[in-house]
Amino acid sequence: MRGDKITALVAGGVVAVLAVAAAVFGVGVSSANPKLADVGAWLWTKARGKVVHVNGLSGEVDGYLNDKRGRPMKVVQDGSNVLLVDDSTGFVSRIEPSQLTVSQTRNFGAAGLQLVVSGSTAYAVDPEGSVQRIDPVTLNSVGAPLDLPARSARRASTAAAGCGCR
């Protein structure tokens, strides 16, 4: 009978220690953040004026941001980098997925701006032919912009005929 009491006291002590550890380590800022699925996509909806995260496994919306401007937007994403591009103004905004908020915004001042993102590298391509490397987290410029030459009015086949190539 005495062995059962000791076992019960030890088990009760272990449960109490686990409950305290769960209370200390299991609750905090990280648990207050929305848990978005790794398999998913951010999409802009014109009808509802929202940028939504759609779970790729269930097809259900599991997070969203309201788009109060109501203008056409493009969503460019690569991993945790989620950038919104306002087609008409050239404003670029970075979404912080864990907080469901816009964390940075920058005006690139070019309507029709294109963004290319891969990992920790991104490029902003101005329709006039300027390419600027940017940091996708801070949206700050990295280095000097590269100006591409203006497009030639000649057709490609005419230009290629002079060099004997295709």
Side-chain angles (χ1 to χ4, degrees):
M1 197 74 156
R2 184 164 161 76
D4 289 340
K5 279 186 173 183
I6 292 174
T7 304
L9 287 174
V10 170
V14 170
V15 168
V17 169
L18 289 175
V20 169
V24 171
F25 297 110
V27 177
V29 174
S30 64
S31 66
N33 293 337
K35 302 285 188 200
L36 301 179
D38 291 334
V39 180
W42 287 89
L43 305 169
W44 176 74
T45 64
K46 181 178 180 181
R48 298 194 188 265
K50 294 181 181 180
V51 178
V52 298
H53 184 268
V54 178
N55 183 312
L57 300 175
S58 69
E60 299 291 325
V61 172
D62 59 4
Y64 69 91
L65 291 167
N66 285 325
D67 174 29
K68 296 176 182 157
R69 295 174 287 218
R71 292 189 291 250
M73 305 284 278
K74 286 185 287 192
V75 179
V76 180
Q77 63 186 15
D78 180 56
S80 64
N81 295 314
V82 182
L83 304 175
L84 298 175
V85 182
D86 187 327
D87 282 338
S88 59
T89 64
F91 269 90
V92 176
S93 301
R94 180 178 182 276
I95 294 177
E96 178 56 49
S98 65
Q99 300 293 322
L100 291 176
T101 60
V102 173
S103 57
Q104 284 91 13
T105 299
R106 179 176 174 196
N107 184 4
F108 284 90
L113 181 77
Q114 298 287 320
L115 284 183
V116 179
V117 180
S118 179
S120 62
T121 305
Y123 293 91
V125 182
D126 184 318
E128 298 296 320
S130 176
V131 179
Q132 175 66 58
R133 183 174 175 195
I134 62 171
D135 180 348
V137 175
T138 64
L139 302 180
N140 292 331
S141 298
V142 178
L146 172 67
D147 290 324
L148 301 176
R151 293 183 182 171
S152 173
R154 297 187 310 169
R155 289 183 23 198
S157 61
T158 306
C163 71
C165 58
R166 287 190 179 184

